Amino acid sequence: MSAQNPGPRRDTRGIVDAADLFAHVRFRRHEPAPALRPYLEHYWLIDWDLAEPYASHVVPHPSVNLVFQRYDDGRPDFLELSGVGLALATRKLSGRGRVCGIQFRPGGFRPFAPGFAVSTWTDRVVAADPVFPHADPAAVLSPERDEDRVAALDAFLLALDPRPDPQAELAMELVDRVRHDRTLRRVDVLAREAGLSARSLQRLFAAWVGVGPKWVVLRYRIHEALDHAESAESVDWALLAADLGYADQAHLVRDFTATLGVPPSALRAGASRA
């Protein structure tokens, strides 16, 4: 199985009201060094200088993120490990600051921390020092040029000497199938195609992705529904629910509301007012 990364994502799936976020911060993505691309989605860099506080909202991907952070509130630079988030993530920004994030492909993080199942950090945001004691946040955050920050991120990860692992490759490949094949909706079908029992598939995902395969299927459905809610001029929710494999429109609306805290109609109304 191939674990090649096609490059940084160009879409904004998962970001709630991406246009509003980009109006408040300077956001960009960069590709890592070739040796790291099988494991990473991309690097993401954000800088801001805000006159008023601002809150961003993201429906997380099934990915682990390492985030180097700098704020102008007197705290020293620091590195956080953010496991797969199960619910809407809200980040409040104020003053001046910058972050340099590493988003790993689902299944691609464990080669950098092989002693831990990825489920160890699911739905947790923790200081990364115990896992990466030699990280130097200032080395990543101090350069002004993006290319120098990217080089520092590359150096940090390459020093960890990730090794190819068949289980990581399998996990990444299976999540890619779920992400891109909208007809793949059942866990038993995914297990059969992978040549695994349902229990073995669950163990693989817990150890290497951090969440179960059914959760991954549902999360990518919600991403697509959010994309439609914010970008389409009109949405036939019954048709979209059927297209995404839901039993009916009500089921889709329940999942959407449980994840984002508001129904699709609220986002549509907000987009119309904007």
Side-chain angles (χ1 to χ4, degrees):
M1 290 184 177
S2 172
Q4 290 304 306
N5 188 342
R9 285 186 298 106
R10 303 301 178 188
D11 63 79
T12 59
R13 288 195 171 178
I15 302 175
V16 180
D17 200 347
D20 190 48
L21 172 66
F22 299 159
H24 285 85
V25 306
R26 192 164 70 92
F27 176 96
R28 55 264 191 227
R29 293 175 176 142
H30 290 283
E31 195 167 42
L36 298 169
R37 290 173 194 169
Y39 309 101
L40 271 60
E41 293 272 9
H42 49 249
Y43 298 139
W44 51 275
L45 278 55
I46 301 179
D47 295 84
W48 66 89
D49 188 352
L50 299 169
E52 299 291 338
Y54 172 75
S56 66
H57 308 282
V58 176
V59 179
H61 287 254
S63 299
V64 173
N65 283 261
L66 287 176
V67 189
F68 294 83
Q69 303 180 54
R70 171 176 290 181
Y71 300 92
D72 66 353
D73 57 6
R75 284 181 288 174
D77 298 343
F78 63 98
L79 173 62
E80 280 187 336
L81 191 166
S82 181
V84 177
L86 301 183
L88 184 72
T90 297
R91 178 63 64 97
K92 296 180 179 179
L93 306 176
S94 61
R96 297 180 62 190
R98 73 175 38 156
V99 297
C100 297
I102 304 167
Q103 185 172 86
F104 293 84
R105 294 178 66 189
F109 176 70
R110 190 167 173 179
F112 297 86
F116 302 88
V118 179
S119 57
T120 302
W121 297 290
T122 297
D123 214 27
R124 298 176 62 202
V125 178
V126 300
D129 306 50
V131 184
F132 304 106
H134 302 298
D136 182 2
V140 171
L141 294 161
S142 295
E144 291 302 319
R145 300 192 312 162
D146 278 13
E147 52 263 46
D148 294 330
R149 294 186 213 175
V150 167
L153 289 168
D154 283 342
F156 163 67
L157 290 176
L158 289 170
L160 298 173
D161 193 24
R163 302 298 176 88
D165 187 290
Q167 293 293 93
E169 292 185 10
L170 177 59
M172 289 187 282
E173 176 68 21
L174 294 177
V175 174
D176 277 348
R177 287 194 201 177
V178 173
R179 178 189 296 183
H180 298 296
D181 184 355
R182 292 173 60 179
T183 68
L184 189 55
R185 301 163 180 165
R186 293 174 55 91
V187 172
D188 59 340
V189 174
L190 182 64
R192 185 167 61 249
E193 291 185 356
L196 299 172
S197 68
R199 181 169 294 183
S200 294
L201 183 67
Q202 293 284 356
R203 287 198 296 265
L204 175 75
F205 270 60
W208 295 88
V209 182
V211 287
K214 183 177 180 180
W215 187 95
V216 174
V217 171
L218 292 173
R219 178 49 53 92
Y220 283 134
R221 286 177 177 177
I222 293 298
H223 278 173
E224 186 153 352
L226 174 61
D227 191 47
H228 278 78
E230 293 195 322
S231 63
E233 291 186 3
S234 64
V235 181
D236 184 333
W237 289 100
L239 180 61
L240 179 62
D243 196 32
L244 293 177
Y246 282 94
D248 52 36
Q249 177 179 340
H251 190 186
L252 167 58
V253 171
R254 283 197 301 272
D255 274 1
F256 190 102
T257 304
T259 302
L260 278 87
V262 295
S265 57
L267 288 185
R268 294 294 303 162
S272 298
R273 286 195 298 272

